[in-house]
């Protein structure tokens, strides 16, 4: 009986992780829609708020209406992804990276969209942990996770570089 229960717990986790990986992979394929010519206004405002944290480089001043914590987390995640992908994997120098971003600023929006997708995937995993803590039946929360991960609401939140994915995570936590 204990072995069956242990197997069921592992199968439960594997199913949820497979769902999250499938959510990430499916949304990753459509993440660069509209770029570099069409960008949402929310993405531009959020990018301005993100870049205002490094105003000593960008000289973009912060406004009182800008969100505080979402752009800061986005800055850390975006810089980490830029460092890993461009400098370590592609062996780009920092001066070449600055020139590349200057010539095509949509690169920052793409990396911001990846950050939103990562944060939304993390949100789904935390939602799973909350369901487990509340001891909700597996069939109920697996259905809820599947429906929520395939909804248009979460699709829009996860592939737009904006504050909504961070606020969704903060609200859940």
């Amino acid at each position: 009986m204990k072995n069956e229960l242990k197997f069921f717990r592992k199968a439960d986790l594997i199913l949820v992780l497979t769902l999250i990986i499938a959510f990430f992979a499916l949304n990753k394929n459509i993440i660069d829609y509209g770029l570099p010519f069409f960008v949402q206004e929310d993405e531009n405002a959020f990018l301005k708020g993100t870049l205002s944290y490094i105003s000593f480089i960008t000289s973009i001043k912060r406004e009182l209406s800008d969100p505080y914590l979402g752009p800061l987390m986005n800055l850390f995640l975006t810089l980490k992804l830029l460092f890993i992908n461009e400098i370590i994997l592609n062996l780009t120098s920092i001066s070449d990276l600055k020139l590349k971003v200057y010539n095509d600023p949509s690169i920052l929006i793409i990396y911001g969209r990846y950050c939103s997708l990562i944060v939304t995937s993390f949100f789904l995993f935390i939602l799973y942990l909350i369901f487990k803590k509340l001891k909700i039946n597996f069939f109920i929360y697996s259905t809820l996770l599947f429906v929520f991960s395939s909804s248009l609401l979460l699709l829009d939140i996860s592939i737009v570089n904006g504050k909504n994915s961070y606020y969704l995570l903060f609200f859940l936590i």
Side-chain angles (χ1 to χ4, degrees), residues 2 11 13 28 43 50 53 69 79 81 103 131 133 154:
K2 285 186 177 183
L13 180 64
K28 185 183 91 52
E43 288 180 320
T50 301
Y53 279 104
L69 197 54
L79 290 178
L81 284 178
N103 288 331
F131 285 149
K133 189 73 170 173
L154 207 62

Side-chain angles (χ1 to χ4, degrees), residues 24 31-32 35 43 46-47 50 73-90 92 97 100-101 104-119 158-162 165-166:
F24 187 86
I31 209 160
D32 61 348
L35 290 178
E43 288 180 320
F46 191 68
L47 184 62
T50 301
M73 281 185 60
N74 188 39
L75 178 70
F76 287 135
L77 287 173
T78 303
L79 290 178
K80 186 174 279 194
L81 284 178
L82 267 171
F83 179 75
I84 290 171
N85 190 33
E86 296 294 332
I87 294 177
I88 293 177
L89 296 178
N90 292 337
T92 306
L97 181 62
K100 187 176 180 181
V101 169
D104 187 15
S106 66
I107 291 173
L108 292 176
I109 292 178
I110 287 177
Y111 282 109
R113 287 180 179 181
Y114 278 114
C115 293
S116 291
L117 184 59
I118 290 169
V119 167
S158 65
I159 62 172
V160 172
N161 179 25
S165 60
Y166 296 98

